[in-house]
Amino acid sequence: MSVRVAKTAGFCFGVNRAVEMALAAAESRERVYMLGQLIHNRAVTDKLASLGVREVQTLSEVPEGSAVIVRAHGVPKSVYEEIAARGLELIDVTCPFVRKIHRIAERESAEGRRVIIMGDPTHPEVIGISGWCQDASVCQDAAELEKLCLEYADFAAKPVSLVAQTTSNRTKWEFFVNNIKKLYTNPKIFDTICNATDERQAECAEIAAQSEVMLIIGDRNSSNTRKLKEVAETKCEKVYLIDGARELDKRWFDRVRTVGITAGASTPAWIIKEVVNQMSEELRNQVAAEAIDEAEENFEQMLENSIKTLYTGDKVTGIVTAINSGEINVDLGVKHAGYISINELSDDPNYIADGKIKVGDEIEAFVMRVNDVEGTVQLSKKRLDVIKGWDTIEQAREDRTTVEGTVIEENKGGVVVSVGGVHVFVPASQTGLPKDAEMSQIMKQKVKLRVIEVNRARRRVVGSIRAVAQEERRAKAEQIWAEIEENKVYNGVVKSLTSYGAFVDIGGVDGMIHISELSWNRVRHPSEVVAVGDEVEVYVISFDTEKKKISLGYRKAEDNPWTKFVTNYAIGDVVPVKVLKFMPFGAFAEVLPGVDGLIHISQIANQRINKPDDVLSENEVVNAKITDIDMDRQKISLSIRAVIEDGEAVEAADAE
């Protein structure tokens, strides 16, 4: 019997994010409440309950001053408003892809369109989406949509926008879309089915078609899991939905050669592992029974095995019996005593045996030399690691998976990374470092790389650190685009400067701060405010998902000099101002850094003048009265003449 487990089985990005955030909240806060089930998996919610997170169905059950976790499926807008009104702490773990549907529904509804949701009307995700629009209709399939159109005469009259529950079946969605186009002239279609759902269902169908028995692991309340069962049943006759290993029935696998396994997006990895381990145990029992049927091992053979002699090149497993300063003693269960020199433990230059190996540990090793006279066996764990490392390297090349190693050597062409004892050459162009950068900066560091070339005969392996970095950057970029919102704050790094602004990496995606958004003061070049490599806090002003452009802001609203001006000054105040420049009609003067006012030529002196610079000079500081403030246009009128006349009036009064 062979068992195949789907690569897409288990937590998706959104669920994994939700669980991690909830666990972090449970560890850092005393009173945490979960509004409904975090995800549709009781094992996960039970785990949170054991950490003190209490599940409630309404906000009225949450005491004042507590933290509230909003589940991954999302909630209506009214729930957020109630949380804010009561001053509760919000921990929003809504799946970013579901949150995106909320924004679509709210926007389309605000434009006067009816939002039609394809999904289960009783599902928390659909209930949450409905709560973000004024006029929503939920249909599970095309038949329900047609029924609505027949029952309500004006149903097809209003413009509509269509979204789908993220876990919807792709085939059903396409049929639904084709039907809606027949009923409406200009419907707006938003394909909101999660890509992970498509991939999971496609792989489920593929494995089910090749299996005699198909196991679907997950909570029966999970829409995602139930749809996997529906998909599998179209390809396989025997499909079983289980919530864990305890529900396995041996009778399902009688005379079965192939078994497929997948799991819903809310199923933890440990539950999948339990099922797979039990299936593996069944497989071992089956193999053992077949072996016993073929022949029984005789006593003489068993005796020979117990006193067998070891040979150079053998792979052995033993128990650590002693640890000395220079070597480790190993009991191999034979007449020879085994030992491993400290320098044969690992190829990692940073490896320290102390604390990693202890007496009683089981250890695998490679036989380097057998001394029958002294009754000793010289072993090497490092060389066995190399043998295993080659297998890992070749498998990683075939599967295009990532491996991890330590940079152990630097040369002119690049660096050498030890991956499980195998030396992988990484050319300078594939290190991810800038051109002409010193390779020494990554010496002895742990790095992830992608194997791009393997020649075991010549013992040559070539890898790329840059390829992994690019993939991680793409993954981070996808996450950012899934979660991005206007006014959202990011911590970023300045990557480059131009005459018109600064480009900032906000974690996988570059955005631009226009020069006008760098500072409230006049800036001639971005370098006056930031430099390449600076860590900066920025916020999103606007974004275009199609063109992949993000406009960022850096200057803070609280630093707006106009706000400071209107807070501290009023019409009639006399203030010292600095003359900046002259125009034929007057002079501009600085009231505060970033706030200028105009002194009209008629207000410069108490007598007629031909030009402003006949009386004033640049950078001269004079007293002027604020005679007018235009709030809409943010303009200020100043008068030196008014100050002079006020002074003359005071003198005249004193003379009387």
Side-chain angles (χ1 to χ4, degrees), residues 507-529:
V509 177
D510 286 349
M512 191 193 78
I513 312 173
H514 191 269
I515 191 169
S516 63
E517 294 295 333
L518 280 168
S519 173
W520 291 105
N521 299 323
R522 293 183 181 84
V523 177
R524 295 182 180 180
H525 192 273
S527 59
E528 297 176 26
V529 182

mmCIF file of all heavy atoms in Angstrom, residues 507-529:
data_model
loop_
_atom_site.group_PDB
_atom_site.id
_atom_site.type_symbol
_atom_site.label_atom_id
_atom_site.label_comp_id
_atom_site.label_asym_id
_atom_site.label_seq_id
_atom_site.Cartn_x
_atom_site.Cartn_y
_atom_site.Cartn_z
ATOM 1 N N GLY A 507 9.271 46.122 2.513
ATOM 2 C CA GLY A 507 9.240 44.694 2.835
ATOM 3 C C GLY A 507 8.819 43.845 1.662
ATOM 4 O O GLY A 507 7.885 43.053 1.776
ATOM 5 N N GLY A 508 9.492 44.007 0.521
ATOM 6 C CA GLY A 508 9.155 43.223 -0.662
ATOM 7 C C GLY A 508 8.579 44.056 -1.786
ATOM 8 O O GLY A 508 8.513 43.611 -2.932
ATOM 9 N N VAL A 509 8.154 45.261 -1.475
ATOM 10 C CA VAL A 509 7.571 46.167 -2.470
ATOM 11 C C VAL A 509 8.179 47.552 -2.290
ATOM 12 O O VAL A 509 8.360 48.008 -1.163
ATOM 13 C CB VAL A 509 6.035 46.259 -2.314
ATOM 14 C CG1 VAL A 509 5.456 47.260 -3.298
ATOM 15 C CG2 VAL A 509 5.389 44.907 -2.526
ATOM 16 N N ASP A 510 8.491 48.203 -3.438
ATOM 17 C CA ASP A 510 9.011 49.570 -3.384
ATOM 18 C C ASP A 510 7.890 50.571 -3.587
ATOM 19 O O ASP A 510 7.040 50.409 -4.479
ATOM 20 C CB ASP A 510 10.078 49.788 -4.467
ATOM 21 C CG ASP A 510 11.387 49.101 -4.120
ATOM 22 O OD1 ASP A 510 11.524 48.650 -2.978
ATOM 23 O OD2 ASP A 510 12.265 49.023 -4.998
ATOM 24 N N GLY A 511 7.862 51.600 -2.767
ATOM 25 C CA GLY A 511 6.945 52.713 -2.936
ATOM 26 C C GLY A 511 7.740 53.990 -3.062
ATOM 27 O O GLY A 511 8.933 54.028 -2.742
ATOM 28 N N MET A 512 7.105 55.047 -3.545
ATOM 29 C CA MET A 512 7.825 56.307 -3.728
ATOM 30 C C MET A 512 7.252 57.412 -2.848
ATOM 31 O O MET A 512 6.025 57.591 -2.792
ATOM 32 C CB MET A 512 7.775 56.761 -5.182
ATOM 33 C CG MET A 512 8.745 57.929 -5.434
ATOM 34 S SD MET A 512 8.497 58.772 -6.994
ATOM 35 C CE MET A 512 7.091 59.785 -6.621
ATOM 36 N N ILE A 513 8.156 58.127 -2.175
ATOM 37 C CA ILE A 513 7.786 59.347 -1.458
ATOM 38 C C ILE A 513 8.119 60.519 -2.375
ATOM 39 O O ILE A 513 9.296 60.771 -2.657
ATOM 40 C CB ILE A 513 8.560 59.508 -0.135
ATOM 41 C CG1 ILE A 513 8.539 58.229 0.697
ATOM 42 C CG2 ILE A 513 8.010 60.673 0.663
ATOM 43 C CD1 ILE A 513 9.443 58.297 1.919
ATOM 44 N N HIS A 514 7.099 61.215 -2.862
ATOM 45 C CA HIS A 514 7.359 62.386 -3.701
ATOM 46 C C HIS A 514 8.044 63.454 -2.853
ATOM 47 O O HIS A 514 7.821 63.556 -1.637
ATOM 48 C CB HIS A 514 6.055 62.923 -4.290
ATOM 49 C CG HIS A 514 6.274 63.959 -5.354
ATOM 50 N ND1 HIS A 514 6.335 65.302 -5.072
ATOM 51 C CD2 HIS A 514 6.467 63.829 -6.692
ATOM 52 C CE1 HIS A 514 6.547 65.971 -6.200
ATOM 53 N NE2 HIS A 514 6.626 65.097 -7.200
ATOM 54 N N ILE A 515 8.872 64.254 -3.489
ATOM 55 C CA ILE A 515 9.648 65.263 -2.755
ATOM 56 C C ILE A 515 8.747 66.182 -1.934
ATOM 57 O O ILE A 515 9.110 66.624 -0.842
ATOM 58 C CB ILE A 515 10.533 66.079 -3.741
ATOM 59 C CG1 ILE A 515 11.541 66.930 -2.958
ATOM 60 C CG2 ILE A 515 9.684 66.900 -4.698
ATOM 61 C CD1 ILE A 515 12.612 67.543 -3.838
ATOM 62 N N SER A 516 7.512 66.402 -2.444
ATOM 63 C CA SER A 516 6.580 67.277 -1.722
ATOM 64 C C SER A 516 6.044 66.629 -0.461
ATOM 65 O O SER A 516 5.481 67.309 0.405
ATOM 66 C CB SER A 516 5.418 67.661 -2.641
ATOM 67 O OG SER A 516 4.679 66.509 -3.022
ATOM 68 N N GLU A 517 6.175 65.291 -0.342
ATOM 69 C CA GLU A 517 5.674 64.566 0.822
ATOM 70 C C GLU A 517 6.769 64.239 1.835
ATOM 71 O O GLU A 517 6.519 63.561 2.824
ATOM 72 C CB GLU A 517 4.995 63.263 0.383
ATOM 73 C CG GLU A 517 3.730 63.456 -0.430
ATOM 74 C CD GLU A 517 2.615 64.110 0.366
ATOM 75 O OE1 GLU A 517 2.610 63.950 1.607
ATOM 76 O OE2 GLU A 517 1.749 64.771 -0.234
ATOM 77 N N LEU A 518 7.997 64.720 1.563
ATOM 78 C CA LEU A 518 9.104 64.436 2.478
ATOM 79 C C LEU A 518 9.111 65.370 3.679
ATOM 80 O O LEU A 518 9.444 64.967 4.790
ATOM 81 C CB LEU A 518 10.441 64.538 1.739
ATOM 82 C CG LEU A 518 10.842 63.328 0.889
ATOM 83 C CD1 LEU A 518 12.015 63.684 0.005
ATOM 84 C CD2 LEU A 518 11.184 62.140 1.770
ATOM 85 N N SER A 519 8.770 66.638 3.430
ATOM 86 C CA SER A 519 8.851 67.617 4.515
ATOM 87 C C SER A 519 7.850 68.733 4.266
ATOM 88 O O SER A 519 7.465 69.013 3.119
ATOM 89 C CB SER A 519 10.266 68.200 4.593
ATOM 90 O OG SER A 519 10.332 69.255 5.529
ATOM 91 N N TRP A 520 7.428 69.372 5.343
ATOM 92 C CA TRP A 520 6.553 70.530 5.216
ATOM 93 C C TRP A 520 7.335 71.763 4.775
ATOM 94 O O TRP A 520 6.753 72.730 4.285
ATOM 95 C CB TRP A 520 5.859 70.809 6.548
ATOM 96 C CG TRP A 520 4.854 69.761 6.923
ATOM 97 C CD1 TRP A 520 4.987 68.785 7.861
ATOM 98 C CD2 TRP A 520 3.553 69.575 6.344
ATOM 99 N NE1 TRP A 520 3.864 68.003 7.912
ATOM 100 C CE2 TRP A 520 2.955 68.465 6.994
ATOM 101 C CE3 TRP A 520 2.832 70.240 5.345
ATOM 102 C CZ2 TRP A 520 1.685 68.019 6.665
ATOM 103 C CZ3 TRP A 520 1.563 69.791 5.028
ATOM 104 C CH2 TRP A 520 0.997 68.695 5.675
ATOM 105 N N ASN A 521 8.647 71.742 4.960
ATOM 106 C CA ASN A 521 9.491 72.857 4.536
ATOM 107 C C ASN A 521 9.917 72.677 3.089
ATOM 108 O O ASN A 521 9.786 71.596 2.520
ATOM 109 C CB ASN A 521 10.729 72.953 5.441
ATOM 110 C CG ASN A 521 10.347 73.205 6.885
ATOM 111 O OD1 ASN A 521 9.402 73.940 7.170
ATOM 112 N ND2 ASN A 521 11.071 72.583 7.808
ATOM 113 N N ARG A 522 10.460 73.718 2.495
ATOM 114 C CA ARG A 522 10.932 73.624 1.121
ATOM 115 C C ARG A 522 12.136 72.697 1.047
ATOM 116 O O ARG A 522 13.079 72.831 1.824
ATOM 117 C CB ARG A 522 11.313 75.009 0.580
ATOM 118 C CG ARG A 522 10.120 75.936 0.415
ATOM 119 C CD ARG A 522 10.574 77.260 -0.195
ATOM 120 N NE ARG A 522 9.469 78.178 -0.337
ATOM 121 C CZ ARG A 522 9.020 78.976 0.618
ATOM 122 N NH1 ARG A 522 9.605 78.952 1.816
ATOM 123 N NH2 ARG A 522 8.009 79.784 0.411
ATOM 124 N N VAL A 523 12.093 71.758 0.110
ATOM 125 C CA VAL A 523 13.196 70.809 -0.066
ATOM 126 C C VAL A 523 13.638 70.859 -1.519
ATOM 127 O O VAL A 523 12.830 70.672 -2.443
ATOM 128 C CB VAL A 523 12.751 69.372 0.295
ATOM 129 C CG1 VAL A 523 13.889 68.386 0.032
ATOM 130 C CG2 VAL A 523 12.320 69.299 1.753
ATOM 131 N N ARG A 524 14.912 71.115 -1.741
ATOM 132 C CA ARG A 524 15.418 71.167 -3.117
ATOM 133 C C ARG A 524 15.758 69.778 -3.642
ATOM 134 O O ARG A 524 15.646 69.513 -4.832
ATOM 135 C CB ARG A 524 16.655 72.063 -3.178
ATOM 136 C CG ARG A 524 16.357 73.525 -2.859
ATOM 137 C CD ARG A 524 17.609 74.370 -2.970
ATOM 138 N NE ARG A 524 17.335 75.778 -2.678
ATOM 139 C CZ ARG A 524 18.268 76.728 -2.707
ATOM 140 N NH1 ARG A 524 19.541 76.411 -2.985
ATOM 141 N NH2 ARG A 524 17.937 77.976 -2.431
ATOM 142 N N HIS A 525 16.178 68.897 -2.728
ATOM 143 C CA HIS A 525 16.538 67.523 -3.122
ATOM 144 C C HIS A 525 16.224 66.594 -1.944
ATOM 145 O O HIS A 525 16.408 66.975 -0.776
ATOM 146 C CB HIS A 525 18.022 67.431 -3.488
ATOM 147 C CG HIS A 525 18.371 66.143 -4.172
ATOM 148 N ND1 HIS A 525 18.718 65.001 -3.468
ATOM 149 C CD2 HIS A 525 18.411 65.806 -5.488
ATOM 150 C CE1 HIS A 525 18.963 64.022 -4.326
ATOM 151 N NE2 HIS A 525 18.785 64.482 -5.564
ATOM 152 N N PRO A 526 15.738 65.363 -2.224
ATOM 153 C CA PRO A 526 15.401 64.424 -1.137
ATOM 154 C C PRO A 526 16.539 64.164 -0.159
ATOM 155 O O PRO A 526 16.304 63.836 0.999
ATOM 156 C CB PRO A 526 15.018 63.145 -1.887
ATOM 157 C CG PRO A 526 14.533 63.630 -3.214
ATOM 158 C CD PRO A 526 15.391 64.814 -3.548
ATOM 159 N N SER A 527 17.792 64.308 -0.623
ATOM 160 C CA SER A 527 18.946 64.045 0.248
ATOM 161 C C SER A 527 19.016 65.011 1.427
ATOM 162 O O SER A 527 19.752 64.757 2.386
ATOM 163 C CB SER A 527 20.242 64.122 -0.566
ATOM 164 O OG SER A 527 20.381 65.402 -1.169
ATOM 165 N N GLU A 528 18.274 66.111 1.371
ATOM 166 C CA GLU A 528 18.235 67.038 2.499
ATOM 167 C C GLU A 528 17.453 66.444 3.677
ATOM 168 O O GLU A 528 17.581 66.899 4.809
ATOM 169 C CB GLU A 528 17.584 68.361 2.077
ATOM 170 C CG GLU A 528 18.350 69.116 1.007
ATOM 171 C CD GLU A 528 17.611 70.365 0.558
ATOM 172 O OE1 GLU A 528 16.818 70.899 1.367
ATOM 173 O OE2 GLU A 528 17.809 70.804 -0.584
ATOM 174 N N VAL A 529 16.623 65.409 3.392
ATOM 175 C CA VAL A 529 15.770 64.824 4.429
ATOM 176 C C VAL A 529 16.169 63.389 4.767
ATOM 177 O O VAL A 529 16.229 63.007 5.929
ATOM 178 C CB VAL A 529 14.287 64.861 3.990
ATOM 179 C CG1 VAL A 529 13.384 64.297 5.090
ATOM 180 C CG2 VAL A 529 13.867 66.277 3.625
#
